[in-house]
Amino acid sequence: MTTFNEILSIGRSGLHTARSMLNMAGYNIANADTPGFSRRVASLVAQSVLGMGVESQGPTAIRNNLLNRNLMVSYGEKGFHESQLHSLSIMETVLNDLDEQGIISHLMSFETSLEKLSANPSSLPLRQGVLSAAQSLAASFKATWDQVDRTKDLTKQHAESLAKDINIKTTDLAHLNQEIRSLLDNQQDASSLIDQRDAVLGELSQLIDVNAIPQANGTLLIFSCGQPLVSEENTATVRVFEQAFPIDPATTDPQEGTTAIGLEFILGGVDPDNPPDINGDGVQDNVDLAPFIKRPQTTVGGEIGGVLSVYNDVLEPTRKRIDEVAFGYATEFNIRHQAGFNLDDPQVSGFDFWEAATTFPNINGFAQSLQLSADVDGKLENIAAAEDDGTGVGEGPGGNGNLTFNGLNKLSLESDIVKAVHLPATATGETVRNALEGVLFVVAEAKHRAQVGVETEGSTVIHLETLLQSETGVSVDEELIAMTQANKAFEAASAVIRQADKMSQTLMNLVG
Amino acid sequence: MRVTNSMITNFVKQTNQIAKTSVMNAVQDISSGDAIRNLSDNPVDAVRIVEYSEVINRLDAYENNLQVLQFDLNLIDSIMGQAVDILGNAKALALASVGESVSQTERDAAAVSARQYFEQLLNLANTQVDTGRFLFAGTEDNAAPYDATAPGYYVGGTNNRRVEITPGVFTDATVVGADSFGANGEVFQPLDDFITALQNGDFAAIDQSLDDLDAAINFTLLRQVELGERAKQIDDMDMTNSDLRDRYVLQRASLQEIDLTSKITELRAAETALDAIVQVTSRLMDTSLMSFLR
């Protein structure tokens, strides 16, 4: 038989439940715009025992791990392309010959000045024109090389900065892992911390490609490039390293003559900037990090992967190629110039046009230091326009054979004079035109690919975020309906209590 | 599919951003006039544009050579014409000096005039242009090619300088003595001999001078015609180069420049789309149950 206390208890459970529902709706509405927030829902369970009414269980956060994992992958892909755009934009501006300010344009101007001189080789103003054009060409090589080098430095600094960000995020994730596990062990609600951890994980996945594996104790095991990044409250430290590839005459690896940057993982919780005090004497000990360092063999993803890729695949090969073009051109030009004769009486030959103080293949930085030789700088008469006519004396000061028929004025584009440093000196070279246009194309195509990648992955990210939002996000209209519903339930439960109270009063009046 | 508030906000932001980006891109294209501003806009076409620029640049260099040649050949044609006139005057003088009825005094006066003709001819043969370059000296154009005291009178170069006027086509950029005033006295010797004959009163030699001066005039006329033919070839090549350059410029423009009509249409469409999106999305953001529930 049901007592009045039981009826009151039922009404009270209805009031509590309605209040919980209102509370949850209000909580959801308040966090409708909180990034990464998953809406909370509670389930109502009818008590099987009469007199206990209803109970709300939860709140439970609505999540979709599959969508989350796909989103992390897309964040990483988008970050990979996005991080490349800045460096590639600079390179594109530096190499842009569409505005006729690049190396090719200066090379053509130099060629034109030589062509004009071929029509009047004795003309001092035209000779001055040649030297001025040559100085502009050298300045263009220098400026381009300097800008590529600066961009490389900035890109490497960017990679180091991203590595620091990654380390900060992994440390945050490790702390959150620890706190979540602690709450769950004490049977407490860890939903907010899990939301925070998901948000940090999303940010991390943009920086580097990660794979997160949920553990039974509520923590996440996070891998990247096959290496453990976060395990419970332990983290690996990521660091950028630089590696030089010296030229080996026995091999033909295109990486020879370049430097590359990569990412290494320092495992075991060892912080390379803060070594541990192993023997407890209060002094940090030098730890041999070698056993703890892992260098992934797979391509690194995310923003840091994009930055590493642009450094290794675009910037450094471009720097190398510009040096090869400058060296090949200057060397061959000098060989032909030495064979020609100047304006003196008697005419003299054997002058270098360009300063060539280094030897193949150690030509790193040649483009940056390209300049006129002391033989011709300020000495207009020493530009060797005339060709040896075979008698040891030139055509005369009015001769132009060394320009035209020995092709000094066509050397820029048509001769196979650009040799790669990683190939033997006897290997066939490439024309200057092909070499420079190849550089333009590599940079242009890399940037184009990055832009397309950002657009494509951006669309994918938007699509996945929309799907995820649809499932886990807060609809204010839905919560308003839930609030109204809770309000009605509260009124109904109040009515139950009032009626029970009336009935007990009636009973009391009967015996009173 | 559930529609949440964040979805609505994000949708409004994204669609507005996309519409504004379309407008911005169209405005940038129209203001710059370029379809390809950066290498990455279209890498393949960008490299082709650079290649076309290389060709146009080279054609401009040939154009410079052609202009120098045209200037020189026009001047040479005028000079050769003057030379023919001078030789004609000398022949007329010779005609007037033939015969025993002409007194020695008259022959002496004629010799003075003939000497003046000789000096005029020598000056013409040693004409210099711009930076002191001698026109009729071949590659040795830094010194006067004709010397009245030298054997054969010609002391200039025997080789011509050659320049490229179109890809792979070279032509002589200078004129040597053999192609102008003679390398072995073809023009100056008859006049010199005439002066000597007048001074010596040698009737037979004066008579011979008529034929020799005729030969000199013919020699000069023939050289003038040959040089005129060369000038014509240069003019023809100039026109060919010009046409070729125009074609390459058009090709480059077709890749690099925008079609203004279609771009303006594109801008109008983008602006209309932006207006529509702003109105629709603002309505979307206003609609909520909050307005109805009390």
Side-chain angles (χ1 to χ4, degrees), chain A residues 40 45 126 195 298 385 451:
Chain A
R40 307 293 194 253
V45 176
L126 290 180
D195 280 346
T298 55
Q451 283 171 329

Side-chain angles (χ1 to χ4, degrees), chain A residues 347-464:
Chain A
Q347 290 171 280
V348 183
S349 69
F351 296 115
D352 272 341
F353 191 90
W354 301 101
E355 194 68 48
T358 186
T359 54
F360 195 83
N362 300 311
I363 59 172
N364 187 358
F366 184 85
Q368 201 227 7
S369 59
L370 184 66
Q371 59 182 348
L372 294 177
S373 80
D375 290 338
V376 298
D377 196 3
K379 297 169 186 165
L380 305 178
E381 68 280 5
N382 283 347
I383 297 175
E387 185 186 33
D388 182 5
D389 65 2
T391 63
V393 176
E395 300 158 288
N400 69 351
N402 202 41
L403 285 173
T404 308
F405 295 99
N406 272 343
L408 273 179
N409 64 344
K410 281 199 280 188
L411 200 56
S412 59
L413 295 178
E414 298 174 10
S415 309
D416 297 336
I417 57 175
V418 179
K419 302 279 178 75
V421 296
H422 62 278
L423 294 177
T426 52
T428 307
E430 195 179 16
T431 65
V432 171
R433 168 192 276 137
N434 284 352
L436 284 176
E437 288 180 2
V439 165
L440 288 189
F441 191 79
V442 161
V443 170
E445 201 265 339
K447 192 183 166 208
H448 184 72
R449 210 159 5 108
Q451 283 171 329
V452 169
V454 167
E455 282 171 24
T456 310
E457 294 302 331
S459 300
T460 307
V461 162
I462 288 171
H463 178 65
L464 288 172

